[in-house]
Amino acid sequence: MAGSSFGDDASVSGSLAVSGSVTLGDGDDDVTIDGTTLAIDSSNNRVGIGTSSPSYKLHVNASAADTTSQITAYFRSADTDYSRISVDSTANADTQISFMNNGSTKWSIGNEAAADSFHITTGFGPFDSDNAMIITSDGDTTLGGNTSLVGGYVLGNETLTSSNDGGSVDVTKPLTLLTNASGQLIATLADATVTGQVKKFLCTGYSGSRSLAITVSSASWTGGSSGTITFSAAATFVHLVWANSVWWVVGAPAGGVAFS
């Protein structure tokens, strides 16, 4: 039927082989395949799967009988490196994925365009600074409201022992556990990047014949120049906070720690 066209309804029984281009619908002619299996709304340029009246550019509607293991849509790539599903937007627009319940949007997650930060928020709309959770591109996290962690919490930590001796060791995590039970240990605390960042040192083991010291790049007790924290006993600690371009001591025991 090369070059054939049909102005009215056409019915095909059995297989249909087509070679070349196929145009379905013309103007406002809708196209349906097997009822609601696939529907094309040519008036609004929409495609429906599982619905004959799509409300969106792509509208997928699955009944309980259509799903396997409660999966409505399944995507799989044979790439051996990684696979992804992308949601894109214009240069200045936030990109969101929303989660709904019975037609009502409850939560949205995505990228805030101005700062390229990841947000979690209730409802939908442009992301804002008061959203429930914000993670910056540097990894800093802000939680809005009260936070309850069942089972306690663990700060990112690093353990330095006598095998890490030398002034080239930089301590970067919020919590650092120190011990010099078998050798000297000299670590360096560099400047922080954000006001309010905290740093805690906990001395878990100490040998009096070994040095255990922290060189602080900018210390409040030296007027802003380099300073040193020296531990002389086990089970001691120092709690620091970064403000006004220096590290300030906000907690330390009465003995076992010296500042110079």
Side-chain angles (χ1 to χ4, degrees), residues 4 9 53-54 61 95 97 109 131 133 138 152 155 158 165 173 178 190 194 203 211 217 220 243 252 254:
S4 299
D9 294 340
S53 302
N61 183 58
T95 306
I97 297 176
I109 63 175
N131 291 157
M133 184 175 183
D138 294 327
L155 291 172
E158 55 197 347
D165 63 296
K173 303 294 184 180
L178 307 168
V194 178
C203 178
S211 61
S217 299
S220 61

Side-chain angles (χ1 to χ4, degrees), residues 121-122 189 208 244 259:
T121 185
T122 55
L189 176 61
N244 296 324
F259 301 89

Side-chain angles (χ1 to χ4, degrees), residues 139-154:
D140 296 329
T141 302
T142 300
L143 301 176
N146 297 324
T147 301
S148 177
L149 300 176
V150 178
Y153 65 94
V154 178

Side-chain angles (χ1 to χ4, degrees), residues 72-84:
T72 300
Y74 175 77
F75 303 86
R76 185 179 189 280
S77 169
D79 195 302
T80 58
D81 190 12
Y82 63 90
S83 61
R84 61 180 184 153

Side-chain angles (χ1 to χ4, degrees), residues 160 166-167 169-171 178 185-189 201 213-216:
L160 301 180
V169 178
D170 290 333
V171 286
L178 307 168
L185 175 61
I186 303 174
T188 300
L189 176 61
F201 292 103
I214 308 297
T215 300
V216 181

Side-chain angles (χ1 to χ4, degrees), residues 8-70:
D8 298 317
D9 294 340
S11 177
V12 177
S13 179
S15 300
L16 174 64
V18 178
S19 176
S21 301
V22 176
T23 300
L24 299 176
D26 183 17
D28 60 354
D29 295 332
D30 295 340
V31 175
T32 60
I33 297 177
D34 190 28
T36 61
T37 299
L38 178 66
I40 299 175
D41 179 352
S42 59
S43 299
N44 298 300
N45 297 321
R46 297 170 178 167
V47 175
I49 299 175
T51 175
S52 58
S53 302
S55 301
Y56 313 99
K57 200 69 175 177
L58 175 61
H59 187 163
V60 179
N61 183 58
S63 67
D66 293 331
T67 61
T68 301
S69 301
Q70 289 70 52

